[in-house]
Amino acid sequence: MHITLLTYGSRGDFQPFLALAIGLQKAGHTVRLAGPGRFAEFAAQHKVLFATLAGDPEIISARFNNAGTNPVKVAHAIWEYVYAIAPQVVRDARAALAGADLVIHSFLFTTGGHTFARELGIPDVSVQTFPMFAPTRAYPNPAMAGIPPGALSYFSHWLASQVFWHGGNTGMPHLSKQFPGDFPAKLTWPFQQIDQRSATPLLIAVSPSVLARPDDWRSPQIHLPGYFFLDEPAYAPPSALRDFLAAGEAP
């Protein structure tokens, strides 16, 4: 199977997808990993085919840090850059999806990756590296960690999804009109019917030993596969350490 993985953000967003790409290759799949260009060498070191997406997440981080504490200024500083690179990111993502049989998308590609998949008529999988888009009363959304378990926790997950949807797609109608050949006329949400087997599978890459599966996750499409770690590189101790360990009796 030809699989394209779409991810964007810092190394914390990219590295789990690189680990997943390596695992899929070992399972016999043909994999293409699309992400910011600053990670091209990182992917090459692990022999994963890489597709560059425009922009630099470090610029977004710098704008966030330099905008102060005013949320309006913060949003304006970030979206000014995001809107500037969005058309090229979409073109790059579409190119990376050429020939794909399956698309796996990260947090920032939740809506876009799903919409691309529906356009191409291929299945998609959402991978989140923290609990998101799966409401539960067991614990709150990470963005509102102080809320106690119960109805308010469930509401916090719903609210976080609403903020993600409306905040992330506010400028899409304008961009769709400005770049009709690149942007879809209508975006689709992957978790509209998460309780059905035909829904987009949602993989929350957290260990079930750390975060037990809540009882109110009844959907068969929500999974806790564990963390996606890169294999540790082979370690060869220096000769002085080997000689020290070999000398005398073991402690």
Side-chain angles (χ1 to χ4, degrees):
M1 179 181 288
H2 288 71
I3 303 173
T4 294
L5 296 89
L6 299 175
T7 186
Y8 208 89
S10 66
R11 178 160 175 163
D13 299 285
F14 182 82
Q15 184 164 315
F17 272 70
L18 177 58
L20 177 57
I22 293 169
L24 291 170
Q25 284 189 165
K26 289 180 178 178
H29 300 289
T30 300
V31 177
R32 180 185 291 119
L33 175 58
R38 65 169 41 244
F39 299 118
E41 183 178 348
F42 191 20
Q45 290 172 357
H46 291 274
K47 297 180 175 59
V48 172
L49 180 62
F50 183 78
T52 298
L53 301 178
D56 188 343
E58 290 298 317
I59 295 178
I60 298 176
S61 297
R63 284 176 171 248
F64 179 86
N65 294 330
N66 295 334
T69 57
N70 186 315
V72 176
K73 289 184 178 180
V74 170
H76 177 75
I78 292 175
W79 280 112
E80 186 180 46
Y81 179 71
V82 170
Y83 284 154
I85 66 171
Q88 189 57 51
V89 171
V90 169
R91 295 183 197 113
D92 293 340
R94 288 186 183 281
L97 286 166
D101 302 307
L102 170 71
V103 55
I104 300 175
H105 43 80
S106 69
F107 177 67
L108 292 179
F109 270 106
T110 297
T111 308
H114 178 69
T115 302
F116 293 148
R118 289 297 171 268
E119 287 182 346
L120 296 170
I122 60 176
D124 66 313
V125 174
S126 174
V127 171
Q128 307 298 328
T129 54
F130 52 91
M132 192 69 184
F133 309 129
T136 177
R137 291 175 173 80
Y139 51 79
N141 184 269
M144 305 171 217
I147 295 175
L152 283 178
S153 288
Y154 193 94
F155 175 75
S156 73
H157 290 280
W158 177 87
L159 181 60
S161 295
Q162 295 300 308
V163 170
F164 178 87
W165 171 262
H166 293 290
N169 301 325
T170 299
M172 290 303 110
H174 173 72
L175 290 170
S176 297
K177 291 180 181 178
Q178 191 175 1
F179 303 96
D182 297 317
F183 285 84
K186 182 181 179 181
L187 296 170
T188 54
W189 184 241
F191 311 120
Q192 196 71 36
Q193 298 174 315
I194 189 63
D195 58 335
Q196 297 185 9
R197 291 189 177 276
S198 60
T200 294
L202 172 59
L203 276 61
I204 298 176
V206 174
S207 170
S209 298
V210 173
L211 190 71
R213 182 184 179 93
D215 293 337
D216 54 1
W217 279 0
R218 295 184 176 88
S219 170
Q221 296 296 63
I222 304 176
H223 307 273
L224 284 171
Y227 302 108
F228 297 150
F229 288 131
L230 290 174
D231 292 335
E232 292 293 330
Y235 173 69
S239 57
L241 177 57
R242 289 198 303 269
D243 293 343
F244 169 77
L245 293 173
E249 296 181 8

